[in-house]
């Protein structure tokens, strides 16, 4: 997609010019309505094409009226609809992100605490 290409160009410019340590952990699809052929097609196409170069998270954040309502109420999705499909998807994403790199069991502490 053109939008993703522009974003990746900006990313590379920032990485080269300002922050060489900048990395992309992955692409997250949000507000996806799997009831539509268009959304299903876009997700599948992006996984097949971009997924070769950049991680595409398995978790997809679905479209939900409840999520939009939570925004209007100025509440997190967890405060507004903690048992809903969007809150569950964000919990799944959290687990997926935490599993990106194996955690080191014996981290050395350099905070002065022993």
């Amino acid at each position: 997609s053109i939008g993703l290409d522009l974003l990746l160009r900006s990313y590379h410019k920032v990485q080269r010019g300002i922050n060489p340590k900048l990395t992309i952990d992955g692409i997250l699809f949000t507000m996806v309505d799997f009831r539509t052929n268009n959304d299903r097609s876009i997700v599948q196409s992006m996984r097949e094409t971009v997924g070769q170069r950049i991680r595409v998270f398995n978790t997809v954040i679905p479209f939900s009226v409840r999520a939009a309502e939570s925004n209007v109420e100025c509440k997190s999705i967890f405060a507004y609809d903690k048992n809903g499909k969007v809150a569950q998807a964000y919990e799944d994403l959290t687990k997926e992100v935490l599993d990106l790199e194996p955690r080191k069991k014996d981290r050395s502490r350099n905070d002065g605490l022993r």
Side-chain angles (χ1 to χ4, degrees), residues 37-91:
N37 290 333
N38 186 51
D39 281 12
R40 284 194 307 268
S41 174
I42 289 170
V43 170
Q44 179 182 351
S45 174
M46 292 291 286
R47 286 189 190 284
E48 291 170 359
T49 58
V50 178
Q52 303 299 323
R53 298 179 292 150
I54 301 172
R55 174 187 291 111
V56 177
F57 288 108
N58 292 324
T59 303
V60 174
I61 309 300
F63 172 79
S64 169
V65 173
R66 301 287 289 163
E69 291 171 352
S70 74
N71 198 20
V72 171
E73 295 291 324
C74 299
K75 294 182 177 179
S76 76
I77 193 63
F78 298 103
Y80 190 77
D81 189 24
K82 69 179 180 179
N83 296 317
K85 62 184 180 179
V86 174
Q88 181 59 56
Y90 276 111
E91 286 182 16

